[in-house]
Amino acid sequence: REHTGKSLLARWLGEYSKGKHSYANPGVLVSPEVLNKTGGQTWDTILDENPWLKTTKLVAKPDQLIKRRGKAGLIAVNKTFEEAKDWVMERMCKEQKIETVTGQLTHFLIEPLIPHKQEEEFYICMLSHRYYDELLFYHEGGVDVGDVDSKAEKMHLPTGEAMTEAAVITKLLSKVPAGKQANLASFIVSLFAFYRDLHFAYLEINPLVMLEDNTVVPLDMAAKIDETANFLCAQKWGPVDWPPPFGRDAFPEEALIRDMDGKTGASLKLTILNDRGRVWTMVAGGGASVVYADTVADYGWGHELANYGEYSGAPSTEETFMYAKTLLSLMMKSKHPDGKFLIIGGGIANFTDVAATFTGLIKALEFYAADIKEHKIGIWIRRAGPNYVEGLRKVKVASDKLGLNIKVYGPETHITAVVPMALGLIAPLPEPDLSEACGPPVRKMVPNPGSKPSTQKPLPPATKHTIVTATPET
């Protein structure tokens, strides 16, 4: 959230600028708790903790990862506390359509109004690439800044290289009045140190205001931090809220899987895209999860794709059971007259014991067997790796016992072939004989009429070779 980013800046800017710059007031975040007069956060507690709200003019706006709030009429400016409170309460937990997305407004940021002139507004953005960080700066800011990619001054800084004020002035601030360049360059160097050390991946401030006394104030901030740096930065970050994008509700099941992921060496991820969708996936591997999601979309079923996630890194039987049970519980929340699909897929595992993970899957299937039949859920499996034959055989036996009619395939079938079969777009392939391990899938080469004849020389005739093992004597 913007409030989180500004709170981090308020906490650390003084240290990274060695006391030269500061940011005193990140505002206050108002949550839906204010609708409950007996809840944790009330308007009275907000006032008690932030007495400045009564003595200054205010700005109020939603804080839910929403872009272009000003153009959408979602910023209230120059309000008293009572006016800002009324403005927030009129919109709290109400549906709002922003461009093509409809969602509920649930969190608002109230902060002090900073009177300033238009010419005191600037634009700055920092973003990370694979081998360098990029800075974009434009000498004009605000809602009408336009296409900054095409007109901003740009600076590339290789990963690990130090930033200097002289380089910032030369490459970014040539159009800034000379009297403001030194202080603005000092702020940018401090901001970049904050950005890099706290593992931000993106940070945009628009507008960044520099007042007549050379005080620098960020008015509107959008930022992303790298969640995987939590083990490095948790102490500096403090409590961080990870809100879903506007228009998509946060699900407790996502929080459950996220909590499990933080306590295991395996990788467990779950994002709900459409909780009423018909196509659900339980995919082993981060790369495979992308492939399956893309395949569902390529076949024209993207609007029915319900989730995105993965279970990989050798999760235990119990972890797989909890993951599968969570997915199935979500599938049972709504019925569809034509039924639903659960595609359990993955590539060929390197070290994950397929039989062990499928033992957890079978426990979840046994738990929800009656519901699976009631909701007409078709289950399709394609998996390979260590002990995959035993794992597929166990699932097939459980399927026959529970009457679930699960289709199982191994490495003889292409990784995404189960998708069109599950969706009824092609006839199901015969299931493999699970009495022994299967070979790789056999496919005929696709003829290409426009291909050039090969210029490769034919292979030499076969000859006999003797393999000699080297020894210290030889």
Side-chain angles (χ1 to χ4, degrees):
R1 297 188 193 278
E2 180 179 2
H3 181 257
T4 304
K6 286 184 172 179
S7 297
L8 288 172
L9 188 62
R11 181 179 175 186
W12 294 106
L13 181 59
E15 180 174 324
Y16 285 105
S17 65
K18 295 181 172 59
K20 188 172 182 179
H21 302 281
S22 63
Y23 176 49
N25 196 337
V28 57
L29 185 67
V30 182
S31 73
E33 288 184 356
V34 297
L35 296 175
N36 180 5
K37 295 181 180 180
T38 62
Q41 185 187 52
T42 66
W43 289 107
D44 289 336
T45 60
I46 289 173
L47 267 182
D48 291 341
E49 295 168 4
N50 305 276
W52 53 268
L53 289 166
K54 278 288 192 180
T55 60
T56 185
K57 290 291 187 178
L58 304 170
V59 175
K61 52 190 173 181
D63 191 0
Q64 292 178 237
L65 315 185
I66 300 172
K67 290 187 175 182
R68 293 176 283 279
R69 291 171 293 189
K71 291 188 175 181
L74 290 176
I75 299 181
V77 181
N78 199 23
K79 301 294 184 182
T80 65
F81 173 72
E82 292 299 330
E83 290 171 338
K85 172 183 171 182
D86 292 341
W87 188 87
V88 168
M89 292 299 283
E90 287 172 7
R91 292 160 178 79
M92 180 64 78
C93 293
K94 303 287 178 58
E95 282 203 345
Q96 176 83 30
K97 185 172 183 180
I98 300 175
E99 296 179 350
T100 60
V101 179
T102 300
Q104 279 194 355
L105 298 176
T106 58
H107 290 75
F108 292 82
L109 176 61
I110 300 178
E111 52 190 358
L113 175 69
I114 307 297
H116 63 278
K117 302 172 184 176
Q118 178 65 40
E119 58 267 22
E120 294 173 333
E121 293 187 351
F122 303 99
Y123 172 93
I124 188 166
C125 180
M126 302 177 179
L127 59 157
S128 296
H129 297 277
R130 186 174 181 87
Y131 297 115
Y132 64 92
D133 293 302
E134 182 178 21
L135 281 77
L136 284 75
F137 181 87
Y138 193 56
H139 63 285
E140 297 175 0
V143 294
D144 298 318
V145 67
D147 183 12
V148 289
D149 282 339
S150 61
K151 59 187 182 183
E153 305 291 339
K154 298 180 181 179
M155 177 179 179
H156 289 182
L157 199 68
T159 302
E161 186 174 305
M163 177 186 286
T164 64
E165 294 180 19
V168 170
I169 292 173
T170 302
K171 296 181 180 181
L172 298 180
L173 307 184
S174 59
K175 297 178 182 179
V176 174
K180 294 186 174 184
Q181 288 183 355
N183 199 54
L184 192 54
S186 170
F187 177 84
I188 291 173
V189 170
S190 304
L191 183 67
F192 182 73
F194 161 81
Y195 166 90
R196 177 182 279 178
D197 202 42
L198 269 70
H199 286 262
F200 281 78
Y202 178 88
L203 194 156
E204 178 188 62
I205 301 176
N206 178 37
L208 175 70
V209 170
M210 191 170 190
L211 302 174
E212 291 181 353
D213 62 357
N214 277 353
T215 302
V216 184
V217 183
L219 292 195
D220 196 286
M221 177 189 288
K224 300 176 183 177
I225 55 177
D226 184 354
E227 187 180 0
T228 60
N230 184 68
F231 73 103
L232 292 170
C233 301
Q235 190 171 359
K236 286 189 174 182
W237 287 348
V240 176
D241 183 15
W242 307 95
F246 176 73
R248 185 172 68 80
D249 295 329
F251 288 82
E253 289 84 358
E254 292 175 323
L256 171 65
I257 298 301
R258 190 161 54 244
D259 183 62
M260 288 173 56
D261 182 57
K263 297 176 181 177
T264 176
S267 178
L268 302 171
K269 303 290 187 293
L270 177 63
T271 300
I272 308 303
L273 305 176
N274 174 11
D275 63 324
R276 303 184 72 85
R278 295 180 62 199
V279 183
W280 294 73
T281 61
M282 180 176 164
V283 182
S289 64
V290 176
V291 170
Y292 275 89
D294 283 350
T295 304
V296 172
D298 286 345
Y299 280 111
W301 284 68
H303 63 290
E304 292 284 5
L305 184 61
N307 71 303
Y308 175 81
E310 63 158 317
Y311 72 107
S312 60
S316 67
T317 297
E318 185 62 23
E319 288 166 347
T320 309
F321 165 64
M322 287 300 300
Y323 190 90
K325 182 169 173 279
T326 302
L327 271 185
L328 289 167
S329 71
L330 285 162
M331 295 183 74
M332 305 309 169
K333 285 188 175 182
S334 64
K335 284 186 178 181
H336 193 283
D338 298 323
K340 298 181 181 181
F341 313 102
L342 175 58
I343 299 171
I344 301 171
I348 301 175
N350 292 317
F351 57 88
T352 297
D353 188 331
V354 176
T357 56
F358 275 15
T359 300
L361 170 64
I362 291 167
K363 285 176 62 180
L365 295 175
E366 290 172 343
F367 190 87
Y368 278 109
D371 296 307
I372 291 171
K373 288 183 276 191
E374 181 184 343
H375 286 253
K376 296 187 286 187
I377 295 174
I379 301 176
W380 299 71
I381 298 176
R382 190 278 185 187
R383 191 69 169 113
N387 289 332
Y388 84 90
V389 174
E390 181 186 353
L392 294 180
R393 191 185 297 129
K394 283 183 175 180
V395 171
K396 195 62 182 175
V397 169
S399 169
D400 294 341
K401 176 183 174 182
L402 300 170
L404 299 179
N405 194 28
I406 299 174
K407 301 292 185 182
V408 298
Y409 299 91
E412 80 294 332
T413 304
H414 189 270
I415 183 171
T416 58
V418 291
V419 175
M421 288 193 285
L423 302 179
L425 303 176
I426 64 172
L429 295 172
E431 293 177 77
D433 176 12
L434 296 175
S435 58
E436 59 182 4
C438 310
V442 178
R443 295 284 183 273
K444 293 181 180 179
M445 295 293 289
V446 178
N448 184 359
S451 61
K452 297 179 181 179
S454 173
T455 58
Q456 185 177 352
K457 295 180 180 179
L459 295 173
T463 57
K464 292 184 178 181
H465 297 272
T466 302
I467 297 176
V468 178
T469 302
T471 64
E473 291 73 23
T474 61

